Amino acid sequence: MSADRVVKIRDVRTPGETYSIRGWVYRKRIHGKATFIVLRDETGVLQCVHHPNQNPQVKIPENLGIEASVQITGIAKEDKRAPGGIELEITGFKLIGPSHMFPITKDQSIEILLDLRHLWLRSRRLTQIMQVKAEAVRAAREWFHDNEFVETFPPILVGSACEGGATLFSLKYFDRQAYLSQSAQLYLEALIFSLGDVYSITPSFRAEKSRTVRHLTEYWHIEAECPYKGLEEIMQVEEQLFAHICNTVAEKMPEAIRAVGRDPDFLAKIKAPFKRITYEEAVDIVHSYDIDMEFGEDFGARAERALSNHFDKPFFIYRYPEKIKPFYVKRDPDYPGFVLSADLMAPEGYGEMTTGGAREEDLDSIVERIKAEGFNPEDYSWYLDLRRYGSVPHAGFGLGTERLVWWMLKLDHIRDACAFPRVLNRVTP
Ligand code: 4AD
Ligand code: MG
């Protein structure tokens, strides 16, 4: 190994070899004459030690600060006490970027840490969460690719709402009003006519006006739409995709998952098919916990938590009352007042991960329900064309990436599944 070739910390393995690494100072302490530097990069941390009597040519600045960036060359030594069992005896040192008084110290309030998010992201924990998130999205793309779904790129600036007016962000678009997309669904519905099974991974925006541990105002939405699928077939797509993501991150990143707080075996064991219960059965479960809820209403936060805690594996709730679902949901011909819609729920109290289902094909019914939601059918004229020209039965769903990561890693708050979380009181950094 040439001393000039820079390697990642993870690859410093063989005692006696000389390595160069680049990283940031994670910890520093002076013990007698020796200086100990724990260096971190994206692959891990490594203890490096400088003994001035053995390597007098090396000068380490006395004021070397936490998070300074440095390049270190050294000889790997076995050391039982060092984290990872290997330590680097420093033979060369170069300061790349100094760091004076790094503002993150122990015991800071969560709000200060959120103000310093751009720096807090360097913590091991957030690094590992972001790595798992990246792997989860990569696994999702892999599943779609293997199953012949075509990736599409729907717009973010849109002229009509998908998920109701209450959570719509509007903005001035030259001399008219436009919105930030809540869901790519309506556009995916247009794309199935030319591309068949399609998916997209886009930001979605929701003007959520309450502070909860599971709502963001901006999140990454994994959505799919399939011609000639019904409710049961789309649930099969969802459970297979969901299991593939869980199994893949468990296989590829067991240490990160364990370090953040979840046993990777739990995710490795998630297998399709998932249990399916009706809305009616779900309401009975909620009532069995002495939680008040009217039949026909949506599950409140408490009811959803109780339901989710009732199960130890992901499950579906299907056939919801029509009045709590949007205008595009297909009514169940066999159960008047109910729709062919399903939510995929995570266990352990985390709740809703996806919503999906079959889409209404009847033009008049859609128009009537768009009006009932307080919108103007003219704003949906392009969408209504899809029912006019060669309409086919179809179904789709949307999965919130951060909801998924939040549950997979058992995080306390969904914001930790985002590098730069957007919530009611925060759009910076
Ligand atoms: O349940 P939602 O609103 O359904 C739709 O948007 C459908 N149009 C999707 C489709 O059929 N293509 O949102 C889908 C998922 C939720 O199940 C949840 O995982 C996530 O998006 N989600 C949020 N994630 C974080 N913060 C929020 N405020 C979210 N709102 C929805
Ligand atoms: Mg939903």
Side-chain angles (χ1 to χ4, degrees):
M1 165 90 43
S2 138
D4 300 322
R5 222 190 90 211
V6 178
V7 299
K8 299 293 179 198
I9 282 176
R10 161 191 68 208
D11 298 325
V12 176
R13 284 210 210 118
T14 316
E17 287 270 2
T18 296
Y19 295 96
S20 287
I21 54 176
R22 287 187 191 125
W24 287 263
V25 175
Y26 190 61
R27 274 197 293 271
K28 190 190 97 178
R29 81 192 150 84
I30 295 176
H31 190 74
K33 287 209 161 70
T35 302
F36 291 84
I37 297 170
V38 177
L39 206 67
R40 63 158 191 89
D41 72 4
E42 67 275 24
T43 65
V45 295
L46 180 65
Q47 176 162 291
C48 307
V49 55
H50 176 228
H51 296 290
N53 47 353
Q54 287 169 27
N55 287 291
Q57 79 288 2
V58 173
K59 296 275 174 277
I60 296 184
E62 254 168 54
N63 63 353
L64 181 70
I66 296 298
E67 287 302 318
S69 53
V70 301
Q71 179 164 332
I72 290 177
T73 301
I75 303 161
K77 298 248 155 88
E78 219 161 329
D79 186 318
K80 294 270 176 314
R81 291 156 306 172
I86 289 269
E87 178 178 88
L88 210 60
E89 171 80 42
I90 302 177
T91 57
F93 180 93
K94 194 164 144 203
L95 179 66
I96 311 286
S99 167
H100 296 301
M101 310 277 283
F102 190 66
I104 295 181
T105 54
K106 273 210 172 94
D107 304 322
Q108 270 161 327
S109 76
I110 196 80
E111 285 304 316
I112 289 179
L113 287 171
L114 284 166
D115 287 341
L116 294 171
R117 187 68 162 192
H118 50 295
L119 301 175
W120 189 21
L121 284 174
R122 301 181 190 190
S123 69
R124 278 307 287 153
R125 181 177 167 82
L126 285 175
T127 301
Q128 285 167 322
I129 295 171
M130 296 314 139
Q131 288 168 333
V132 170
K133 183 178 186 177
E135 183 58 28
V137 173
R138 195 202 62 74
R141 280 209 169 82
E142 175 176 78
W143 189 89
F144 283 124
H145 177 78
D146 290 349
N147 287 276
E148 296 188 55
F149 282 65
V150 177
E151 181 160 13
T152 64
F153 306 89
I156 303 302
L157 288 169
V158 296
S160 41
C162 184
E163 295 301 317
T167 62
L168 203 52
F169 274 116
S170 60
L171 58 105
K172 211 169 156 289
Y173 187 75
F174 305 106
D175 54 1
R176 63 158 290 180
Q177 171 153 292
Y179 310 100
L180 292 177
S181 172
Q182 299 163 302
S183 163
Q185 179 192 321
L186 306 185
Y187 294 94
L188 295 183
E189 285 188 61
L191 285 159
I192 59 167
F193 291 83
S194 54
L195 296 171
D197 293 342
V198 291
Y199 78 99
S200 62
I201 304 178
T202 61
S204 276
F205 301 88
R206 306 285 171 107
E208 303 284 357
K209 291 164 197 88
S210 53
R211 289 173 78 163
T212 76
V213 296
R214 58 199 204 106
H215 286 97
L216 297 161
T217 54
E218 177 182 316
Y219 68 97
W220 285 84
H221 208 164
I222 301 174
E223 291 176 276
E225 199 70 31
C226 306
Y228 293 107
K229 281 196 186 346
L231 177 61
E232 172 54 30
E233 291 83 6
I234 205 67
M235 286 196 278
Q236 289 171 16
V237 169
E238 292 178 51
E239 64 197 357
Q240 285 170 35
L241 168 71
F242 201 84
H244 179 75
I245 297 172
C246 293
N247 301 165
T248 307
V249 296
E251 186 198 323
K252 297 270 168 73
M253 331 203 72
E255 290 100 27
I257 294 168
R258 202 172 288 115
V260 177
R262 159 79 81 187
D263 176 4
D265 276 356
F266 178 86
L267 297 176
K269 287 192 186 121
I270 304 283
K271 291 276 173 295
F274 299 162
K275 193 177 169 67
R276 289 137 166 73
I277 62 168
T278 61
Y279 167 84
E280 209 172 326
E281 289 169 311
V283 171
D284 286 343
I285 294 172
V286 170
H287 286 159
S288 77
Y289 287 96
D290 275 338
I291 296 169
D292 259 352
M293 97 168 254
E294 294 272 330
F295 188 86
E297 296 301 318
D298 208 349
F299 302 107
R302 240 185 108 210
E304 189 176 330
R305 209 173 316 119
L307 267 170
S308 169
N309 272 318
H310 188 76
F311 293 89
D312 59 3
K313 290 193 199 84
F315 62 102
F316 285 103
I317 303 174
Y318 71 99
R319 205 197 298 135
Y320 280 86
E322 178 179 337
K323 70 165 195 198
I324 62 171
K325 292 287 175 184
F327 66 87
Y328 53 72
V329 175
K330 187 179 167 85
R331 290 166 301 175
D332 188 329
D334 301 324
Y335 292 85
F338 291 84
V339 288
L340 296 170
S341 171
D343 282 11
L344 170 54
M345 308 283 286
E348 307 167 299
Y350 286 84
E352 179 186 335
M353 296 284 121
T354 79
T355 292
R359 314 309 190 188
E360 182 60 79
E361 288 146 63
D362 181 66
L363 184 62
D364 296 336
S365 156
I366 299 180
V367 170
E368 172 200 313
R369 285 152 76 194
I370 287 175
K371 285 189 195 147
E373 283 194 31
F375 293 118
N376 182 354
E378 270 170 36
D379 293 335
Y380 294 84
S381 61
W382 67 268
Y383 179 71
L384 299 172
D385 273 352
L386 307 178
R387 304 299 188 272
R388 289 190 182 107
Y389 305 106
S391 180
V392 290
H394 60 290
F397 69 92
L399 163 65
T401 309
E402 290 78 9
R403 287 267 175 101
L404 172 69
V405 171
W406 173 57
W407 165 71
M408 283 200 307
L409 295 178
K410 290 181 101 167
L411 306 178
D412 293 333
H413 201 296
I414 194 170
R415 68 177 165 231
D416 282 341
C418 312
F420 297 99
R422 297 293 181 246
V423 290
L424 183 62
N425 64 341
R426 186 170 287 283
V427 279
T428 53

